[in-house]
Amino acid sequence: MFLSVQLSCYPLTDDYKPPIRAVIERLEKSGLEVHSGRMSTEMFGEYDEVMRVLSDTMKWSFEEYGKSVFVAKIMEGDRRPR
């Protein structure tokens, strides 16, 4: 099953840009198709891999940077930009 995900990260710190950049960089290195934008990052791939990458990335972010809010919209299907 193919997923399309829109993910936003909101670090609860005054210096919020480095954690956001690090999360995007980690997602880009995951092997999934990733498109970052000004307000969110989109990722696309097979269900199991997308969910594993989301889980690993959020856990890593919490351990590395502390408290953050993640907002994800997850849709079954291919919504990649053409």
Side-chain angles (χ1 to χ4, degrees):
M1 174 187 317
F2 199 86
L3 289 184
S4 299
V5 177
Q6 184 181 47
L7 182 69
S8 297
C9 174
Y10 303 100
L12 301 179
T13 178
D14 289 336
D15 191 19
Y16 59 88
K17 289 182 182 180
I20 292 171
R21 288 185 182 122
V23 165
I24 293 169
E25 184 176 302
R26 189 172 176 97
L27 291 173
E28 290 174 340
K29 291 179 180 178
S30 71
L32 296 173
E33 184 173 344
V34 174
H35 301 276
S36 58
R38 295 188 53 76
M39 296 296 293
S40 65
T41 299
E42 296 177 322
M43 49 196 291
F44 307 92
E46 290 299 320
Y47 181 92
D48 290 335
E49 183 66 11
V50 169
M51 297 308 282
R52 183 193 64 75
V53 168
L54 279 174
S55 177
D56 291 351
T57 300
M58 289 188 295
K59 181 178 181 183
W60 169 84
S61 175
F62 294 141
E63 292 171 347
E64 188 73 21
Y65 294 104
K67 295 183 186 229
S68 291
V69 174
F70 284 90
V71 177
K73 297 176 187 175
I74 303 171
M75 178 182 168
E76 188 276 323
D78 187 351
R79 300 295 298 167
R80 288 181 281 190
R82 307 266 170 190

